[in-house]
Amino acid sequence: MKIPSKRFLVLAALSAALMTAQTPGAVTVINYSNLDVKAPIAPGSIASAYGSFGSVTTTALSSLNPMPTTLANVRLTVGGVNAPLYFVSANQINFVVPVGTATGSAPVEVINGTTTVARGTVNIYDFWPALATAGIEATRPAIAQNQDFGINNRTTRARRGEVIQLYATGCGLTNPRVNDGAPPAQLSRAIADVKVTISVIEVTPQFAGAHPQFPGICQINAVIPNQSFVSGQVPVLVTVNGIASNAVSIWVAE
């Protein structure tokens, strides 16, 4: 048997190393608000991508008008379209799903410089609501603002009959339609039917649609029912065309 030369062995090892280095890793995309790896995401909403993206300087965007599609020499595409980026690091990217993304399974790629470093797919639905939360405890306190814009919590509570401002992802497209990576130029309401359940009472929100400042966020303003049993730490959920969000809670004055 002929023994391979040392030169051949070195070239074979180098070739294998180059092939390994050029093979993109996996990327997992999840809903930014509820962190459920099985949940789909909706066009125009914030999502997070996790994986190994190579050498990346951790960077957050510095301007919202418009959002960049490249940060620290890193891009992320959904269905071949560059996504607006909030944050990039070596293992996590926060981005806004392009509003024109078609429903179904969409390819996702992360490009560092000129090299595709990660590939995967994500399920796209027209809408899939998820309320933002401020904690990991079982009651899942909402990231919410009271009518006076104070942050809702145990010591700064909302009042019955006043408006609570909730923040979510996945409310779907709006009218007028927003542009990728830019705040709406005017009031932009969700096209889908949005309902809010506070305690056990379902209410129609005063407003549900694109946040006036932060792309990818759905703002929902609803009046807290003026019923005596709606007090203390109260459960809240949202439905969009009948699809329910994760349950969160708000604090209401007694």
Side-chain angles (χ1 to χ4, degrees):
M1 181 178 70
K2 185 177 179 180
I3 299 175
S5 67
K6 290 183 179 179
R7 181 172 179 273
F8 175 83
L9 292 173
V10 169
L11 289 174
L14 179 59
S15 177
L18 287 172
M19 289 181 65
T20 300
Q22 293 173 358
T23 301
V27 59
T28 299
V29 177
I30 64 174
N31 189 302
Y32 179 78
S33 291
N34 68 4
L35 303 180
D36 182 353
V37 296
K38 296 180 181 180
I41 57 177
S45 63
I46 299 180
S48 294
Y50 292 92
S52 182
F53 307 136
S55 178
V56 179
T57 301
T58 299
T59 306
L61 65 81
S62 58
S63 173
L64 277 170
N65 196 18
M67 291 175 64
T69 55
T70 300
L71 273 180
N73 211 30
V74 172
R75 294 185 293 121
L76 182 146
T77 65
V78 182
V81 178
N82 288 327
L85 303 177
Y86 268 108
F87 170 85
V88 299
S89 70
N91 301 107
Q92 179 180 349
I93 299 173
N94 297 339
F95 65 97
V96 179
V97 182
V99 295
T101 305
T103 57
S105 179
V108 177
E109 289 191 343
V110 177
I111 302 96
N112 188 335
T114 59
T115 303
T116 299
V117 293
R119 285 195 178 109
T121 59
V122 64
N123 289 324
I124 304 293
Y125 280 26
D126 288 327
F127 30 76
W128 194 270
L131 286 163
T133 60
I136 60 174
E137 55 264 42
T139 53
R140 303 290 286 181
I143 295 177
Q145 289 181 285
N146 303 327
Q147 184 166 299
D148 63 1
F149 297 100
I151 301 300
N152 183 268
N153 54 40
R154 182 189 292 269
T155 56
T156 308
R157 302 189 181 196
R159 295 184 179 276
R160 294 189 292 268
E162 294 186 346
V163 173
I164 188 75
Q165 301 173 67
L166 305 168
Y167 300 101
T169 56
C171 292
L173 298 180
T174 59
N175 183 25
R177 184 163 166 167
V178 298
N179 294 321
D180 283 338
Q186 56 186 297
L187 199 65
S188 186
R189 294 181 179 273
I191 295 172
D193 181 37
V194 179
K195 301 290 187 184
V196 181
T197 299
I198 300 175
S199 183
V200 295
I201 301 174
E202 184 180 84
V203 299
T204 298
Q206 290 183 335
F207 172 79
H211 191 282
Q213 291 178 290
F214 298 105
I217 295 293
C218 175
Q219 179 174 329
I220 303 167
N221 298 346
V223 176
I224 299 170
N226 193 9
Q227 301 288 337
S228 60
F229 62 84
V230 181
S231 64
Q233 196 165 20
V234 176
V236 174
L237 64 81
V238 166
T239 61
V240 178
N241 276 17
I243 296 177
S245 72
N246 53 319
V248 298
S249 64
I250 60 171
W251 287 94
V252 179
E254 296 180 358

